[in-house]
Amino acid sequence: AVLLLLALIAVKNKKYLLHKRIMLTALVLSVVFLVSYIAHHLLAGEAIYGDANHDGILSEAEKLAVSGTRSVYLIILLSHIFLAAIILPFILFTSYRALIAEFPKHKKLARITWPLWFYVAVTGPVVYWMIHPFYR
């Protein structure tokens, strides 16, 4: 998310080479993160939001303990998952348009892709921060 913000600032200041370098770095780091995320979920156990005793069952008492925050978590999680699932082709296509110097098409796509990518980049750590206490 920080790199995406820096890249936006760079392009707004017409520092196109810096923008390109930052965006390529963000793309590479996103791919590295995606691979590590998949590996983590293949090897780590599941976590249930609110499962304070880590028994894999969300009791009524545990549900009451987290109350409304569970709904907030699920809304953020579901929107994050949905957008993360669809954003990759948009990121790649937007990047491709820039790399082949189709800048008007790149700019048009980036106006859609950037905010979605930024949302995914911000909500990912938020989701992790919220679920982290419930991992074993």
Side-chain angles (χ1 to χ4, degrees), residues 5 20 26 38 40 69 77 101 108:
L5 280 175
K20 178 180 178 179
I38 291 168
H40 168 75
T69 61
L77 175 65
K108 187 176 179 180

Side-chain angles (χ1 to χ4, degrees), residues 49-129:
Y49 188 85
D51 183 17
N53 64 4
H54 310 290
D55 66 354
I57 301 167
L58 190 60
S59 70
E60 288 302 317
E62 289 171 325
K63 279 184 188 177
L64 286 173
V66 293
S67 63
T69 61
R70 182 170 167 78
S71 296
V72 171
Y73 168 76
L74 291 174
I75 290 167
I76 295 170
L77 175 65
L78 293 175
S79 64
H80 173 81
I81 290 170
F82 175 74
L83 290 173
I86 65 167
I87 194 64
L88 184 58
F90 287 96
I91 292 169
L92 295 175
F93 198 59
T94 303
S95 301
Y96 173 74
R97 290 293 182 202
L99 292 172
I100 64 170
E102 290 184 358
F103 299 118
K105 290 181 182 179
H106 166 76
K107 186 176 179 179
K108 187 176 179 180
L109 283 168
R111 289 177 189 259
I112 298 165
T113 304
W114 189 92
L116 296 177
W117 190 2
F118 184 73
Y119 179 84
V120 169
V122 169
T123 57
V126 169
V127 165
Y128 177 77
W129 174 77

